Amino acid sequence: MKLNKHLVDKPWGRDDVPPVFGATDGRHIGEVWFEAPDNVVLPLLVKWIFTSEKLSIQVHPNDPQAHERGLGSGKEECWFVVDAEPGAKLGIGTTRPLNADELREAALSGAIESLMDWKPVAAGDFFYIPAGTVHAIGAGITLVEVQQFADVTYRLFDYGRPRELHLVDGVAVSNAEPYADVRSGKATIGHLLASSPHFKLWYVNNSQQLADQDASGPYFVVPLVGQISSGAQIGQMGDCLFVDDVRHLAISEGSQCLIASTVVG
């Protein structure tokens, strides 16, 4: 089936989100979530993110930390950069290890902004963000995010915006250290980008690149370029298909898509 689009206003969002995502009526849209009908909870959450300003410097808990706090799960995610303005950056990890006291002090003083590792990015870059990674998305970026289905974010610093910070929980779950995850780099078409205990993510341009995958699914199919179909369902940029069997996907010539699965065995 084709998932429903849910547009989310954000103070750092944009008023020029492509019309394929739906009418925005001048709203500052920061995120587009793909959801199932009737409030059915999906195994993953797929988002498009559009930024005109920096997001907060933040962190997410892992599963055990989330369970200790009465939450259903933690949050790990993977970013695929679709477009980036010249000079756009992602903050991933810190430039040096910080202990809990140093992290809290830096968050309170604002020094944390200069302690982030701000990485220049371009279209086609990808990064897996493990739970505990201190991170922030910069301005001028369009990306697809695949994540555990959890809406749990602890803000450490928000550039003076009048929004709540979560320093107690945020510092407690943070691994404030340089980012060194090997599940990152420049995406190569036809390859598995990331595999974790929570999901796998591929970047493909034909269905044969997934011929060896388990047919049982489910799979999330995110068209980036061109047209993707599964039976009677046709998807283009701005859509997300939720399918049981990727072997029967029809990917038109010149098309590209991301495919995510919770089948990790």
Side-chain angles (χ1 to χ4, degrees):
M1 64 177 171
K2 188 179 295 187
L3 298 179
N4 296 332
K5 291 188 277 281
H6 172 55
L7 279 62
V8 182
D9 298 85
K10 294 289 185 179
W12 40 260
R14 299 214 309 254
D15 60 6
D16 62 348
V17 170
V20 293
F21 290 94
T24 60
D25 300 320
R27 295 162 57 189
H28 275 71
I29 302 301
E31 299 179 349
V32 178
W33 297 17
F34 292 97
E35 301 175 332
D38 303 320
N39 297 315
V40 174
V41 176
L42 297 170
L44 297 173
L45 178 59
V46 175
K47 300 177 180 176
W48 282 75
I49 295 178
F50 307 90
T51 70
S52 63
E53 301 175 11
K54 291 178 181 176
L55 276 68
S56 64
I57 296 173
Q58 57 189 241
V59 67
H60 308 301
N62 60 28
D63 285 350
Q65 292 166 337
H67 296 158
E68 289 172 1
R69 290 160 175 80
L71 303 170
S73 78
K75 181 177 172 182
E76 298 207 342
E77 57 199 28
C78 189
W79 298 336
F80 180 92
V81 179
V82 177
D83 188 48
E85 296 177 1
K89 298 179 181 180
L90 294 170
I92 311 177
T94 52
T95 56
R96 63 176 177 84
L98 302 174
N99 63 35
D101 289 339
E102 290 173 323
L103 178 60
R104 178 179 176 82
E105 181 179 344
L108 289 170
S109 69
I112 190 172
E113 184 176 5
S114 62
L115 289 168
M116 293 294 295
D117 183 5
W118 293 101
K119 302 175 184 294
V121 292
D125 291 341
F126 72 99
F127 301 89
Y128 189 89
I129 309 297
T133 304
V134 181
H135 62 275
I137 299 173
I141 292 174
T142 299
L143 61 79
V144 174
E145 176 179 289
V146 176
Q147 60 160 91
Q148 288 179 266
F149 200 102
D151 189 17
V152 51
T153 295
Y154 297 139
R155 294 189 199 99
L156 297 170
F157 181 70
D158 201 26
Y159 314 99
R161 298 184 186 115
R163 298 194 296 174
E164 181 183 6
L165 300 180
H166 314 95
L167 293 185
V168 173
D169 285 320
V171 170
V173 306
S174 290
N175 300 318
E177 59 191 17
Y179 176 81
D181 201 291
V182 297
R183 295 165 293 185
S184 60
K186 182 66 71 174
T188 302
I189 201 76
H191 285 70
L192 176 69
L193 300 185
S195 180
S196 79
H198 308 292
F199 60 86
K200 289 183 177 180
L201 183 65
W202 295 265
Y203 176 41
V204 303
N205 63 0
N206 71 72
S207 56
Q208 290 303 308
Q209 294 160 347
L210 292 161
D212 296 332
Q213 297 310 311
D214 188 328
S216 62
Y219 294 86
F220 296 77
V221 181
V222 185
L224 302 173
V225 178
Q227 181 173 288
I228 319 293
S229 61
S230 176
Q233 294 293 330
I234 298 174
Q236 299 177 335
M237 179 183 170
D239 296 322
C240 181
L241 302 180
F242 186 61
V243 304
D244 290 326
D245 189 341
V246 290
R247 295 176 304 176
H248 302 310
L249 282 178
I251 302 176
S252 64
E253 185 176 356
S255 298
Q256 299 173 14
C257 64
L258 297 173
I259 297 181
S261 170
T262 56
V263 179
V264 296

